[in-house]
Amino acid sequence: MGRKLTLDIFRYNPSAGWTKPGMQTFELEETPGMNVFIALTRIREEHDPSLLFDFVCRTALCGSCGMLINGKPRLGCKTFTRDLPARTTLFPLPLFKLIGDLSVDTGTWFRLLALRTGAWLHTSRAFAHSILEERMDNETALKIFEADRCIECGCCIAACAKVHVQDEFIGAAGINRLARFLLDPRDERSEAQHYEVLGSEDGIFGCMGLMGCMDNCPKDLPLRDQLAYVRRRMTAAGLAWGGKEDGSRNRKTK
Amino acid sequence: MHSVTKADIHLTDVLIIGSGLAGERTAIEVSSRGLKTTVLSLVPPRRSHSTVARGGLQAALGNGTMGLGDSPDIHFKDTVKSADWGCDQNVVRLFANTVPAAVRQTEQWGVPWTRITAGRRETPDASIVVEPEAGAGLIASKKAKGATKWRTCYVFEGTGHSLLYALDAMTLSLGVTVHDRTEAVSLIHNGQKCLGAVARCLRSGDLRAYLAKATVIATGGCGRLYGVSTNSVINEGTGLSLALDTGLACLGNMEAVQFHPKTMPPTWIPVSEGGGGYLLDRNRVRFVPEYEPENKKLPYRDETARYMQERIRAGLGVDGPHGPHLWLDIRHLGPGHIDRHLKGVDTVCRVFGGIDPARELIPVCPSQHYIMGGVRTNIDGAAYGIRGLFAVGEAACWDLHGFNRLAGNSLAETIVAGMVVGKRVAEYALGHTLEWSSRIVEECLAAQEHRIKSIVSGENGRENVYELKRRMEGILMEHVGIFRKGGGLNNAVAQLQELHQRAERVELISTGRGANPELGSALRLPGMVRLALCIACGALARTESRGTHFREDYPNRDDVNWLKRTLAYWPPGAEQPVLKYEPVVITELPPGNRASTPSLGSG
């Protein structure tokens, strides 16, 4: 006989005609190895099949299941009930557009962010079947991957006080994603071009160093180091450029 | 005069259903040829199941000491042998020749492939490799089951993730339209030609129609038909059902289902330790022969899975809260080695199992992993039986994998098929105009609206969708899993037929209004049971054992009668699939001895 768990869950589903938000309480018996994914699936299948939430991979790789678990942004799949008290509250991640109940639209937020910041490799290399890969030092590849491996779950955005008061700020996930291109020698953007995206208060200079991002990243990304790296590089770029519209703007500095 | 629908209608040149690697790579190819491309996805593209593939991708680049002398010819042979000769050798040849370029292209798009470092290094299985200076900086590779050379290219521990992010970034730069949280519920066709799809918006619950010159199915696999699977919860085979339900297209080799040997309960995450671990039974006895004596290859996945299941059936499994399992032991590799080379395994064990793999044994047992079968296409990716419909990736039976996919060939297939088939899709779309009749579109929309109404009102019956789904999962696990037998398969077919009728009599518990998940499951369930029946009927009819399809009553491969591919059709209103067969194309490598593992049961 497992422990009795009580889950207080935020409910509001505008697409189903709900007019006002509220909390709903569910009770279930804890089973061995139970995580929030298993608990919510059981609630949907055994108690209320209208409950909205998002899970895809169940293994902390896809970034779908960010939610507030007892007030903290966490992934539901890697939060185990054995680490929770008998009574737990679940809220959707704040800031993102609510779809319903625990489901929020992180996908659109991150897609618009990527479009707005040009978050793809800018290269003029033409493809041919016969050419070999460009050589790269493995340390460099690892550095790129270390930034690239962010799963865009939105926990750092939900945990960032600055995004809550300045909704154009791209947050740690946005800066970390762009750091990935700053670190990539294959990206042909000049330092000045990077500066245009990152060198403002919506970019790296909007960060106040509160570090809610790093404290709540479920992938343990080295966000403090990435933010410091980008700040340093963009500061240098801004000083070198000095606001002058000269040739140096289009020169790539290493 | 009649306007029966208020649904939005979207026009596009090419409609791609699914935004995993295969769908996105196809979108890049099509879009870069100037065609308007629209991608539908159940989830935001970067959350697709492709991102879960940590392992790697096989490409005969010939880089590095252990890949020296590798070539598409050797990759071709490894793939055909692994497939147990059930694959299409023209497709395998095209694939093996194209992979190296396809991988190098993704390098140009920014994928941070792990690179070769010169000098002496230790590998995950604790062997020592020395890399000369000449190879430094080229794409590195590691070994994989069934591969003669080390040709599995990888991005540290996130190959699928980094590939998907790079490809999705390319689709952004090309201006591909993506409608996420959108589920295709039926194809629109005129009896000869596919005209697009009807889809349900998963934000609002509204129906929409998409009309396209060409439609591509890239929805991945259907692992969630089984109760225990490594697949994401969205992998319910929707694309396969869409094609099958036209009554025109067919599914190839649905009985060819792969089980991953080493997955950890209760999340069933693969624990791939690189071949350095030992499998132990309850008495701590090692029971899998480590290497094939002849060529020092690791046993194929299907062989390892059978060794394990055999052990469990003999009562030598370990009792656990989620059923019997076996042990994987990597303690002898040591904490330093695990920290350096098996960080992913370490994290999975700690986070999802509460285990320290350097000091404790890891519970593992086989679970459903991949389906080699899918929408049967020709070498151009065009579906049989219906024009304007294509399929790529796991959703397709192109037929690269035959009866057992080689590890590392699924990611490789996605980028090659996207490249090759994407070109054919573009050619087709460029040669056709968008033609459609409002009558057909309205009929298709009305049919789906009617289905939704009858499910919500419960006018057909009182069945519970989750109860029926669990039953289907149980039937497949019990009778259509790793070991199969005539009696059990007959039983499964009978039970699934009954379930198929009951699946049409679902009544919702909730209101079904808006983005209701119960309605989504109820709409999918009958199609899922039809897929389950295609698997069970195909397995019952195939009286031989080939690759992952193992019949205890017919334990040998039978090339005289069964060197052929199963084609499952579902005529409208039928109670079970109609099975037809076509010969398997053998061009270069005639059927021979697949491997030299000791026979089953002797270990």
Side-chain angles (χ1 to χ4, degrees), chain A residues 13-18 31-35 37-38 41 44-65 77-80 82 97 99 103-108 110-112 114-115 119-123 125-154 177 180-181 184 186 219, chain B residues 24 43-49 51-54 61 63 98 101-102 104-117 133-139 155-159 161-163 165-166 168-173 176-178 180-181 202-205 224 229-234 266-269 321-322 350-354 419 464 466 469-470 509-511 513-518:
Chain A
N13 189 349
S15 77
W18 291 43
T31 52
M34 180 183 260
N35 54 20
F37 161 68
I38 294 171
T41 303
R44 180 187 278 174
E45 296 188 2
E46 295 165 22
H47 299 274
D48 188 343
S50 72
L51 182 65
L52 293 174
F53 51 77
D54 295 317
F55 287 94
V56 177
C57 77
R58 320 151 287 126
T59 58
L61 296 171
C62 77
S64 300
C65 62
C77 67
K78 64 178 287 195
T79 303
F80 286 79
R82 62 172 172 262
K97 187 181 174 196
I99 289 171
S103 173
V104 291
D105 203 344
T106 49
T108 300
F110 277 101
R111 194 166 181 83
L112 293 177
L115 279 169
W120 53 85
L121 194 83
H122 291 237
T123 173
R125 274 200 288 163
F127 171 70
H129 276 265
S130 54
I131 56 167
L132 293 185
E133 67 267 31
E134 204 167 274
R135 287 176 197 253
M136 181 186 276
D137 184 72
N138 194 49
E139 285 305 310
T140 307
L142 182 58
K143 274 187 188 159
I144 299 168
F145 177 70
E146 199 53 18
D148 194 50
R149 70 185 181 88
C150 163
I151 58 172
E152 300 188 348
C153 62
R177 179 64 54 202
R180 176 241 172 284
F181 297 104
D184 197 327
R186 298 168 295 188
K219 299 299 282 185
Chain B
E24 297 235 273
V43 295
R46 295 180 179 193
R47 316 232 186 275
S48 301
H49 183 62
T51 198
V52 171
R54 297 165 193 252
L61 302 182
N63 297 340
T98 313
R104 288 178 172 130
Q105 188 180 40
T106 66
E107 189 275 319
Q108 291 197 346
W109 292 338
V111 175
W113 293 104
T114 299
R115 304 300 179 120
I116 295 172
T117 307
E133 199 58 52
L138 296 174
I139 295 173
V155 184
F156 304 96
E157 282 175 334
T159 313
H161 168 93
S162 280
L163 267 171
Y165 272 64
D168 190 52
M170 287 307 295
T171 67
L172 284 169
S173 75
V176 171
T177 302
V178 174
D180 68 356
R181 293 184 185 263
L202 302 180
R203 288 183 177 83
S204 65
R224 289 283 145 180
S229 169
T230 63
N231 284 195
S232 293
V233 296
I234 53 171
T267 37
W268 318 106
I269 308 175
H322 308 281
R350 283 173 193 275
V351 174
F352 294 97
M419 188 185 212
N464 176 300
Y466 300 114
K469 190 161 174 276
R470 269 193 294 271
I509 294 166
S510 57
T511 64
R513 289 182 68 187
N516 182 290
E518 189 188 18

Side-chain angles (χ1 to χ4, degrees), chain B residues 247-297:
Chain B
L248 304 168
C250 62
L251 305 180
N253 281 348
M254 286 298 283
E255 63 271 33
V257 179
Q258 187 174 58
F259 291 78
H260 196 293
K262 289 172 270 184
T263 70
M264 188 179 69
T267 37
W268 318 106
I269 308 175
V271 184
S272 300
E273 89 303 0
Y278 308 132
L279 282 163
L280 310 177
D281 65 15
R282 70 183 303 153
N283 301 322
R284 310 283 165 102
V285 172
R286 279 164 68 172
F287 57 90
V288 179
E290 245 47 47
Y291 293 99
E292 293 165 34
E294 190 187 299
N295 49 11
K296 288 238 167 201
K297 279 198 297 192

Side-chain angles (χ1 to χ4, degrees), chain A residues 9-243:
Chain A
I9 300 178
F10 173 83
R11 298 299 307 269
Y12 180 49
N13 189 349
S15 77
W18 291 43
T19 52
K20 90 175 186 229
M23 299 298 287
Q24 191 175 357
T25 301
F26 296 95
E27 287 184 347
L28 74 165
E29 192 193 315
E30 189 172 28
T31 52
M34 180 183 260
N35 54 20
V36 173
F37 161 68
I38 294 171
L40 286 174
T41 303
R42 272 190 49 196
I43 290 174
R44 180 187 278 174
E45 296 188 2
E46 295 165 22
H47 299 274
D48 188 343
S50 72
L51 182 65
L52 293 174
F53 51 77
D54 295 317
F55 287 94
V56 177
C57 77
R58 320 151 287 126
T59 58
L61 296 171
C62 77
S64 300
C65 62
M67 58 183 78
L68 290 186
I69 300 173
N70 290 329
K72 301 234 167 87
R74 296 285 181 265
L75 293 181
C77 67
K78 64 178 287 195
T79 303
F80 286 79
T81 55
R82 62 172 172 262
D83 301 324
L84 295 175
R87 187 160 197 138
T88 286
T89 59
L90 301 178
F91 271 89
L93 283 187
L95 199 116
F96 300 100
K97 187 181 174 196
L98 182 77
I99 289 171
D101 302 336
L102 300 174
S103 173
V104 291
D105 203 344
T106 49
T108 300
W109 196 92
F110 277 101
R111 194 166 181 83
L112 293 177
L113 174 79
L115 279 169
R116 184 154 65 97
T117 58
W120 53 85
L121 194 83
H122 291 237
T123 173
S124 57
R125 274 200 288 163
F127 171 70
H129 276 265
S130 54
I131 56 167
L132 293 185
E133 67 267 31
E134 204 167 274
R135 287 176 197 253
M136 181 186 276
D137 184 72
N138 194 49
E139 285 305 310
T140 307
L142 182 58
K143 274 187 188 159
I144 299 168
F145 177 70
E146 199 53 18
D148 194 50
R149 70 185 181 88
C150 163
I151 58 172
E152 300 188 348
C153 62
C155 285
C156 66
I157 303 299
C160 176
K162 193 64 193 298
V163 190
H164 284 261
V165 296
Q166 182 190 333
D167 58 10
E168 292 293 300
F169 177 47
I170 63 175
I175 293 164
N176 176 73
R177 179 64 54 202
L178 293 173
R180 176 241 172 284
F181 297 104
L182 278 176
L183 287 160
D184 197 327
R186 298 168 295 188
D187 195 289
E188 291 164 5
R189 275 174 284 192
S190 67
E191 210 66 0
Q193 284 171 312
H194 285 302
Y195 188 86
E196 271 177 25
V197 178
L198 276 164
S200 72
E201 65 173 0
D202 291 336
I204 184 63
F205 301 122
C207 170
M208 295 165 68
L210 299 170
M211 291 297 124
C213 51
M214 183 140 159
D215 292 344
N216 290 284
C217 175
K219 299 299 282 185
D220 297 321
L221 291 173
L223 292 172
R224 185 191 54 204
D225 294 354
Q226 295 291 23
L227 291 168
Y229 168 73
V230 174
R231 180 180 290 271
R232 210 163 54 237
R233 222 172 117 172
M234 286 300 106
T235 304
L239 290 171
W241 172 26

Side-chain angles (χ1 to χ4, degrees), chain B residues 117 148 160 219 299 461 491 506 539 550 574:
Chain B
T117 307
T148 311
T219 53
N491 189 344
V506 166
F550 192 85

